[in-house]
Amino acid sequence: MIHIEDEFFLKKKFNFEKLKEFGFSFENNAYVYTEDFLDSNFKAIIEISDVLKGKVIDNLSNEEYMPLRIESFDGEYVCKVREAYKSILKRIADICCTDIFFADDQANRITKFIDETYGVKPDFPWKDDNGVFRHLDNNKWFSLIMYVSLDALLKNGDNRKLNIINLKIDTSKRNELYEIDGIYPAFHMNHKMWISVVLDDTISDEKVMELVTCSFDLTK
């Protein structure tokens, strides 16, 4: 079964004012949007509450059109319906959502700054909450945001989880950086050349981005 909606709404945050402007109505504690498509032969119904649900109704039979959910159904007509539905989902995501890649607010702010500065968004090679930022020209990492417990980072028995960012450093400044609260030897990376910075606002966005810029330059 294809979960088509995940392609567009994983790691997204809805702006509810924009949902209303788009045409969603609020009913039974959910935001609901309907749109006929393909010459009104089909109806898309999108419902957003605690989770997002989507379905496509065949208006002729008034039943859910299930072939678009089955990967092996790849005939021309099914694909046409599937792509038209995806187009509706993409419009909603583009207009009504913002990216929310990580658990902590500062991690998402830094992600936005990186995108604005270098045109780079994270990719998730391990299909988990750990995002890699790579140079566009050589594909080398220049930072890695992970979601770990403080105990994993500091061995202090604190199981609170938070985002950290691993960054490459000028090794001559390593000891100086370790003096700063919130900067530690890199988690799961070379301690001589990389550091881990906690993204819980212990360190300002400006300082984190200064370190990101250093890492970017060192990994060109």
Side-chain angles (χ1 to χ4, degrees):
M1 186 74 70
I2 304 173
H3 297 285
I4 299 171
E5 295 77 16
D6 288 350
E7 181 180 337
F8 299 93
F9 297 107
L10 277 179
K11 300 184 183 297
K12 296 284 188 180
K13 180 179 181 180
F14 288 102
N15 181 315
F16 295 108
E17 286 302 314
K18 288 184 177 179
L19 286 176
K20 288 187 285 187
E21 292 172 6
F22 189 91
F24 281 79
S25 60
F26 190 71
E27 50 192 70
N28 298 321
N29 295 315
Y31 288 87
V32 180
Y33 176 76
T34 63
E35 180 178 324
D36 288 327
F37 64 99
L38 288 185
D39 297 324
S40 296
N41 288 313
F42 295 91
K43 183 190 303 292
I45 303 176
I46 313 298
E47 181 179 315
I48 301 166
S49 53
D50 293 334
V51 296
L52 181 143
K53 301 176 184 177
K55 60 183 176 181
V56 170
I57 302 298
D58 183 331
N59 284 335
L60 183 62
S61 65
N62 203 32
E63 295 181 352
E64 186 169 0
Y65 184 71
M66 295 307 298
L68 90 164
R69 302 279 178 187
I70 302 171
E71 192 169 4
S72 60
F73 282 51
D74 57 0
E76 181 179 351
Y77 190 70
V78 174
C79 289
K80 186 176 181 180
V81 176
R82 191 178 291 136
E83 291 307 311
Y85 178 53
K86 286 183 177 183
S87 178
I88 294 171
L89 298 177
K90 185 177 187 305
R91 277 194 289 117
I92 295 171
D94 288 347
I95 294 171
C96 303
C97 297
T98 54
D99 292 329
I100 182 163
F101 293 106
F102 300 106
D104 294 323
D105 288 342
Q106 189 175 29
N108 288 303
R109 294 198 307 271
I110 295 302
T111 297
K112 184 181 179 192
F113 290 144
I114 291 174
D115 188 21
E116 291 172 347
T117 304
Y118 301 113
V120 174
K121 287 183 169 64
D123 63 78
F124 296 84
W126 304 288
K127 309 301 181 185
D128 55 17
D129 294 325
N130 301 321
V132 175
F133 297 80
R134 307 172 191 265
H135 286 275
L136 296 176
D137 54 355
N138 61 22
N139 211 37
K140 287 184 179 179
W141 299 10
F142 62 90
S143 64
L144 166 67
I145 292 183
M146 293 182 283
Y147 193 52
V148 304
S149 69
L150 277 173
D151 181 64
L153 183 65
L154 305 178
K155 308 301 181 187
N156 63 355
D158 188 340
N159 290 317
R160 179 169 62 95
K161 296 193 76 171
L162 79 172
N163 286 125
I164 62 172
I165 184 168
N166 280 6
L167 299 166
K168 195 168 187 178
I169 58 167
D170 178 343
T171 55
S172 68
K173 297 182 179 180
R174 183 174 65 248
N175 292 335
E176 174 187 333
L177 289 170
Y178 286 166
E179 294 296 318
I180 300 173
D181 189 27
I183 296 179
Y184 305 99
F187 180 70
H188 272 324
M189 294 182 77
N190 187 319
H191 289 183
K192 292 182 178 180
M193 303 177 67
W194 294 77
I195 56 172
S196 287
V197 181
V198 296
L199 296 177
D200 62 354
D201 288 298
T202 297
I203 299 174
S204 70
D205 290 355
E206 291 76 16
K207 181 61 178 178
V208 175
M209 282 305 297
E210 177 186 317
L211 295 168
V212 169
T213 299
C214 178
S215 184
F216 183 89
D217 290 340
L218 289 169
T219 51
K220 281 182 178 178

Coordinates of all heavy atoms in Angstrom, one line a residue, residues 88-146:
I88 N -2.2 18.0 -6.2 CA -3.0 18.7 -5.2 C -2.3 18.7 -3.9 O -2.2 19.7 -3.2 CB -4.4 18.0 -5.0 CG1 -5.2 18.1 -6.3 CG2 -5.2 18.5 -3.8 CD1 -6.5 17.3 -6.3
L89 N -1.7 17.5 -3.5 CA -1.0 17.4 -2.2 C 0.2 18.4 -2.2 O 0.5 19.0 -1.2 CB -0.5 16.0 -2.0 CG -1.5 14.9 -1.8 CD1 -0.9 13.6 -1.7 CD2 -2.5 15.2 -0.7
K90 N 0.9 18.5 -3.4 CA 2.1 19.4 -3.5 C 1.7 20.8 -3.3 O 2.4 21.6 -2.6 CB 2.8 19.1 -4.8 CG 4.1 20.0 -4.9 CD 4.8 19.7 -6.2 CE 6.2 20.3 -6.2 NZ 6.2 21.8 -6.0
R91 N 0.6 21.2 -3.9 CA 0.1 22.6 -3.7 C -0.2 22.9 -2.3 O 0.2 24.0 -1.8 CB -1.2 22.8 -4.5 CG -0.9 23.2 -6.0 CD -2.1 23.7 -6.7 NE -3.1 22.7 -6.9 CZ -4.3 22.7 -6.3 NH1 -4.7 23.7 -5.5 NH2 -5.2 21.8 -6.6
I92 N -0.8 22.0 -1.6 CA -1.1 22.2 -0.1 C 0.2 22.3 0.6 O 0.4 23.2 1.5 CB -2.0 21.0 0.4 CG1 -3.3 21.0 -0.3 CG2 -2.1 21.2 1.9 CD1 -4.2 19.8 0.0
A93 N 1.1 21.4 0.4 CA 2.4 21.4 1.1 C 3.2 22.7 0.8 O 3.7 23.3 1.8 CB 3.3 20.2 0.8
D94 N 3.2 23.1 -0.4 CA 4.0 24.3 -0.8 C 3.4 25.6 -0.2 O 4.1 26.5 0.2 CB 4.1 24.5 -2.3 CG 4.9 23.4 -3.0 OD1 5.7 22.8 -2.3 OD2 4.9 23.3 -4.2
I95 N 2.1 25.7 -0.1 CA 1.4 26.9 0.3 C 1.2 26.9 1.9 O 1.3 28.0 2.5 CB 0.1 27.1 -0.4 CG1 0.4 27.3 -1.9 CG2 -0.7 28.2 0.2 CD1 -0.9 27.3 -2.8
C96 N 0.9 25.8 2.4 CA 0.4 25.7 3.8 C 1.4 25.2 4.8 O 1.1 25.1 6.0 CB -0.9 24.9 3.9 SG -2.2 25.5 2.8
C97 N 2.6 24.8 4.4 CA 3.5 24.1 5.3 C 4.9 24.8 5.3 O 5.3 25.4 4.4 CB 3.7 22.6 4.9 SG 2.2 21.6 5.0
T98 N 5.6 24.6 6.5 CA 7.0 24.9 6.6 C 7.8 23.6 6.9 O 7.2 22.7 7.5 CB 7.2 26.0 7.6 OG1 6.7 25.5 8.9 CG2 6.6 27.3 7.2
D99 N 9.0 23.6 6.5 CA 9.9 22.4 6.9 C 10.1 22.4 8.4 O 10.4 23.4 9.0 CB 11.2 22.5 6.1 CG 11.0 22.4 4.6 OD1 10.1 21.7 4.2 OD2 11.8 23.0 3.9
I100 N 10.0 21.2 8.9 CA 10.4 21.0 10.3 C 11.1 19.7 10.4 O 10.6 18.6 10.7 CB 9.1 21.0 11.3 CG1 9.5 20.9 12.7 CG2 8.1 20.1 10.8 CD1 8.5 21.3 13.7
F101 N 12.4 19.7 10.1 CA 13.2 18.5 9.9 C 13.6 17.9 11.3 O 13.7 16.7 11.4 CB 14.5 18.9 9.2 CG 14.3 19.3 7.8 CD1 14.5 20.6 7.4 CD2 14.0 18.3 6.8 CE1 14.3 21.0 6.1 CE2 13.8 18.7 5.5 CZ 14.0 20.0 5.1
F102 N 13.7 18.7 12.3 CA 14.2 18.2 13.6 C 13.4 18.5 14.8 O 12.4 19.3 14.7 CB 15.6 18.8 13.8 CG 16.6 18.4 12.7 CD1 17.0 19.4 11.7 CD2 17.1 17.1 12.5 CE1 17.8 19.1 10.7 CE2 17.9 16.8 11.5 CZ 18.3 17.8 10.5
A103 N 13.7 17.9 15.9 CA 12.8 18.0 17.1 C 12.9 19.3 17.8 O 11.9 19.8 18.3 CB 13.2 16.9 18.1
D104 N 14.1 19.9 17.8 CA 14.3 21.1 18.6 C 14.3 22.4 17.7 O 14.8 22.4 16.6 CB 15.7 21.1 19.3 CG 15.7 20.0 20.4 OD1 14.7 19.8 21.0 OD2 16.7 19.3 20.5
D105 N 13.7 23.5 18.3 CA 13.6 24.7 17.5 C 14.9 25.2 17.0 O 14.9 25.7 15.8 CB 12.9 25.8 18.4 CG 11.4 25.5 18.7 OD1 10.8 24.7 17.9 OD2 10.9 26.1 19.6
Q106 N 15.9 25.2 17.8 CA 17.2 25.8 17.3 C 17.7 25.0 16.1 O 18.3 25.5 15.2 CB 18.2 25.9 18.4 CG 19.5 26.7 17.9 CD 20.5 26.9 19.0 OE1 20.6 26.1 20.0 NE2 21.2 28.0 18.9
A107 N 17.5 23.7 16.2 CA 18.0 22.8 15.0 C 17.3 23.2 13.8 O 17.9 23.3 12.7 CB 17.8 21.4 15.4
N108 N 16.0 23.5 13.8 CA 15.3 23.9 12.6 C 15.7 25.3 12.2 O 15.7 25.6 11.0 CB 13.8 23.8 12.9 CG 13.3 22.4 13.0 OD1 13.5 21.6 12.0 ND2 12.7 22.0 14.1
R109 N 16.0 26.2 13.1 CA 16.4 27.6 12.7 C 17.8 27.5 12.0 O 18.0 28.1 11.0 CB 16.5 28.5 14.0 CG 15.2 28.8 14.6 CD 15.3 30.0 15.5 NE 16.4 29.9 16.5 CZ 16.3 29.4 17.7 NH1 15.1 28.9 18.1 NH2 17.3 29.4 18.6
I110 N 18.7 26.7 12.6 CA 20.0 26.5 12.0 C 19.9 25.9 10.6 O 20.5 26.3 9.6 CB 20.9 25.7 12.8 CG1 21.2 26.4 14.2 CG2 22.2 25.4 12.1 CD1 21.9 27.8 14.0
T111 N 19.0 24.9 10.5 CA 18.7 24.3 9.1 C 18.3 25.3 8.1 O 18.7 25.4 7.0 CB 17.7 23.2 9.3 OG1 18.2 22.2 10.1 CG2 17.3 22.6 7.9
K112 N 17.4 26.2 8.6 CA 16.9 27.3 7.7 C 18.0 28.2 7.3 O 18.2 28.6 6.1 CB 15.8 28.1 8.4 CG 15.2 29.1 7.5 CD 14.1 29.9 8.2 CE 13.5 31.0 7.3 NZ 12.6 31.9 8.0
F113 N 18.9 28.6 8.3 CA 20.0 29.5 8.0 C 21.0 28.8 7.0 O 21.5 29.5 6.1 CB 20.8 29.8 9.2 CG 20.0 30.8 10.2 CD1 20.1 30.6 11.6 CD2 19.2 31.8 9.7 CE1 19.5 31.4 12.4 CE2 18.5 32.6 10.5 CZ 18.7 32.5 11.9
I114 N 21.2 27.5 7.1 CA 22.1 26.8 6.2 C 21.5 26.8 4.8 O 22.3 27.1 3.8 CB 22.4 25.4 6.7 CG1 23.2 25.4 8.0 CG2 23.1 24.5 5.6 CD1 23.4 24.0 8.6
D115 N 20.2 26.6 4.7 CA 19.6 26.6 3.4 C 19.7 28.0 2.8 O 20.0 28.1 1.6 CB 18.1 26.2 3.6 CG 17.4 26.0 2.2 OD1 18.1 25.8 1.2 OD2 16.2 26.0 2.2
E116 N 19.4 29.0 3.6 CA 19.5 30.4 3.0 C 20.9 30.8 2.6 O 21.1 31.5 1.7 CB 18.9 31.4 4.1 CG 17.4 31.2 4.3 CD 16.9 32.1 5.5 OE1 17.8 32.6 6.3 OE2 15.7 32.2 5.6
T117 N 21.9 30.3 3.4 CA 23.3 30.7 3.1 C 23.9 29.9 2.0 O 24.6 30.4 1.1 CB 24.1 30.5 4.4 OG1 23.5 31.3 5.5 CG2 25.5 31.1 4.2
Y118 N 23.7 28.6 2.0 CA 24.4 27.7 1.1 C 23.5 26.9 0.1 O 24.0 26.2 -0.8 CB 25.2 26.6 1.9 CG 26.2 27.3 2.8 CD1 26.1 27.2 4.2 CD2 27.3 28.0 2.3 CE1 27.0 27.8 5.0 CE2 28.2 28.6 3.1 CZ 28.1 28.5 4.5 OH 29.0 29.1 5.3
G119 N 22.2 27.1 0.3 CA 21.2 26.4 -0.6 C 21.2 24.9 -0.4 O 20.9 24.1 -1.3
V120 N 21.5 24.5 0.8 CA 21.6 23.1 1.2 C 20.5 22.7 2.2 O 20.4 23.3 3.3 CB 23.0 22.7 1.7 CG1 23.0 21.3 2.2 CG2 24.0 23.0 0.7
K121 N 19.8 21.7 1.9 CA 18.8 21.1 2.9 C 19.4 19.7 3.3 O 20.2 19.1 2.6 CB 17.5 20.8 2.2 CG 16.6 22.1 2.0 CD 15.3 21.8 1.4 CE 14.3 23.0 1.5 NZ 14.8 24.1 0.6
P122 N 19.0 19.3 4.5 CA 19.6 18.0 5.0 C 19.0 16.8 4.2 O 17.9 16.8 3.7 CB 19.1 17.9 6.4 CG 17.9 18.7 6.5 CD 18.1 19.9 5.5
D123 N 19.8 15.7 4.1 CA 19.2 14.5 3.6 C 19.4 13.5 4.8 O 20.1 13.7 5.7 CB 19.9 14.0 2.4 CG 21.4 13.7 2.5 OD1 21.7 12.6 3.1 OD2 22.3 14.5 2.1
F124 N 18.6 12.4 4.7 CA 18.5 11.5 5.8 C 18.8 10.1 5.3 O 17.9 9.2 5.1 CB 17.1 11.6 6.4 CG 16.7 12.9 7.0 CD1 16.3 13.9 6.2 CD2 16.9 13.1 8.3 CE1 16.0 15.2 6.7 CE2 16.6 14.4 8.9 CZ 16.2 15.4 8.1
P125 N 20.1 9.8 5.2 CA 20.5 8.5 4.6 C 20.2 7.3 5.4 O 20.1 6.2 4.9 CB 22.1 8.7 4.4 CG 22.4 9.7 5.4 CD 21.3 10.7 5.5
W126 N 20.0 7.5 6.7 CA 19.7 6.3 7.6 C 18.2 6.2 7.9 O 17.8 5.4 8.7 CB 20.5 6.4 8.9 CG 21.9 6.5 8.6 CD1 22.8 5.5 8.1 CD2 22.7 7.7 8.7 NE1 24.1 6.0 8.0 CE2 24.1 7.4 8.3 CE3 22.5 9.0 9.1 CZ2 25.1 8.3 8.3 CZ3 23.5 9.9 9.1 CH2 24.8 9.6 8.7
K127 N 17.4 7.0 7.2 CA 15.9 7.0 7.4 C 15.5 7.2 8.8 O 14.6 6.5 9.3 CB 15.3 5.7 6.8 CG 15.8 5.3 5.4 CD 15.4 6.4 4.4 CE 15.8 6.1 3.0 NZ 15.6 7.1 2.0
D128 N 16.2 8.0 9.5 CA 15.9 8.3 10.9 C 15.9 9.8 11.1 O 15.7 10.6 10.2 CB 16.8 7.6 11.9 CG 18.3 7.9 11.6 OD1 18.6 8.9 10.9 OD2 19.2 7.1 12.1
D129 N 16.2 10.3 12.4 CA 16.2 11.7 12.7 C 17.6 12.4 12.5 O 17.7 13.5 12.9 CB 15.7 11.9 14.1 CG 14.2 11.5 14.3 OD1 13.5 11.7 13.3 OD2 13.9 11.0 15.4
N130 N 18.5 11.7 11.9 CA 19.9 12.2 11.7 C 20.0 12.8 10.3 O 20.0 12.0 9.3 CB 20.9 11.2 12.0 CG 20.8 10.6 13.5 OD1 20.5 11.4 14.4 ND2 20.9 9.3 13.6
G131 N 20.2 14.1 10.2 CA 20.3 14.7 8.9 C 21.7 15.2 8.5 O 22.4 15.8 9.3
V132 N 22.1 14.9 7.3 CA 23.4 15.2 6.8 C 23.3 16.4 5.9 O 22.4 16.5 5.0 CB 24.1 14.1 6.0 CG1 25.4 14.4 5.4 CG2 24.2 12.8 7.0
F133 N 24.3 17.4 6.0 CA 24.4 18.5 5.1 C 25.6 18.4 4.3 O 26.7 18.2 4.8 CB 24.4 19.8 5.9 CG 23.2 20.1 6.7 CD1 23.0 19.5 8.0 CD2 22.3 21.0 6.3 CE1 21.9 19.8 8.7 CE2 21.1 21.3 7.0 CZ 20.9 20.6 8.2
R134 N 25.5 18.4 3.0 CA 26.6 18.1 2.1 C 26.9 19.3 1.1 O 25.9 20.0 0.7 CB 26.3 16.9 1.2 CG 25.9 15.7 2.0 CD 25.4 14.6 1.0 NE 24.8 13.5 1.6 CZ 25.4 12.3 2.0 NH1 26.6 12.2 1.7 NH2 24.7 11.4 2.6
H135 N 28.1 19.4 0.7 CA 28.5 20.4 -0.3 C 27.8 20.0 -1.6 O 27.7 18.8 -1.9 CB 30.0 20.4 -0.5 CG 30.8 21.1 0.5 ND1 30.9 22.5 0.5 CD2 31.4 20.6 1.6 CE1 31.7 22.8 1.6 NE2 31.9 21.7 2.3
L136 N 27.3 21.0 -2.3 CA 26.6 20.7 -3.6 C 27.5 20.2 -4.7 O 27.2 19.4 -5.6 CB 25.8 21.9 -4.1 CG 24.7 22.4 -3.1 CD1 24.1 23.7 -3.7 CD2 23.6 21.3 -3.0
D137 N 28.8 20.6 -4.6 CA 29.7 20.3 -5.7 C 30.5 19.0 -5.5 O 30.7 18.2 -6.4 CB 30.7 21.4 -5.9 CG 31.5 21.8 -4.7 OD1 31.2 21.3 -3.6 OD2 32.4 22.6 -4.8
N138 N 30.9 18.6 -4.2 CA 31.7 17.4 -4.0 C 31.0 16.4 -3.1 O 31.5 15.3 -2.9 CB 33.0 17.8 -3.4 CG 32.9 18.5 -2.0 OD1 31.9 18.4 -1.3 ND2 34.0 19.2 -1.7
N139 N 29.8 16.7 -2.6 CA 28.9 15.8 -1.8 C 29.6 15.5 -0.5 O 29.1 14.6 0.2 CB 28.7 14.5 -2.6 CG 27.4 13.9 -2.2 OD1 26.4 14.6 -2.0 ND2 27.3 12.6 -2.2
K140 N 30.6 16.2 -0.1 CA 31.2 16.0 1.3 C 30.3 16.6 2.3 O 29.7 17.6 2.2 CB 32.6 16.6 1.3 CG 33.7 15.9 0.5 CD 35.0 16.5 0.8 CE 36.1 15.8 0.0 NZ 37.4 16.5 0.2
W141 N 30.3 15.9 3.5 CA 29.6 16.5 4.7 C 30.3 17.7 5.2 O 31.5 17.7 5.2 CB 29.6 15.5 5.8 CG 28.9 14.1 5.6 CD1 28.5 13.6 4.4 CD2 28.7 13.1 6.5 NE1 28.0 12.4 4.5 CE2 28.1 12.0 5.9 CE3 28.8 13.1 7.9 CZ2 27.7 10.9 6.5 CZ3 28.5 11.9 8.6 CH2 27.9 10.8 7.9
F142 N 29.5 18.7 5.6 CA 30.1 19.8 6.4 C 29.4 19.9 7.7 O 29.9 20.6 8.6 CB 30.1 21.1 5.6 CG 28.8 21.7 5.3 CD1 28.1 22.5 6.1 CD2 28.2 21.4 4.0 CE1 26.8 23.0 5.7 CE2 27.0 21.9 3.6 CZ 26.3 22.7 4.5
S143 N 28.3 19.2 7.9 CA 27.6 19.2 9.2 C 26.7 18.0 9.3 O 26.2 17.5 8.2 CB 26.9 20.5 9.6 OG 25.9 20.7 8.7
L144 N 26.4 17.6 10.5 CA 25.5 16.5 10.7 C 24.7 16.8 12.0 O 25.2 17.1 13.0 CB 26.3 15.2 10.9 CG 25.5 14.0 11.5 CD1 24.5 13.5 10.6 CD2 26.6 12.9 11.9
I145 N 23.3 16.9 11.9 CA 22.5 17.1 13.0 C 21.9 15.7 13.5 O 21.3 15.0 12.6 CB 21.3 18.1 12.7 CG1 21.9 19.5 12.5 CG2 20.3 18.1 13.9 CD1 20.9 20.6 12.3
M146 N 22.1 15.4 14.7 CA 21.6 14.1 15.3 C 20.7 14.4 16.5 O 20.7 15.5 17.1 CB 22.8 13.3 15.7 CG 23.7 12.8 14.6 SD 25.0 11.7 15.2 CE 26.1 13.0 15.9

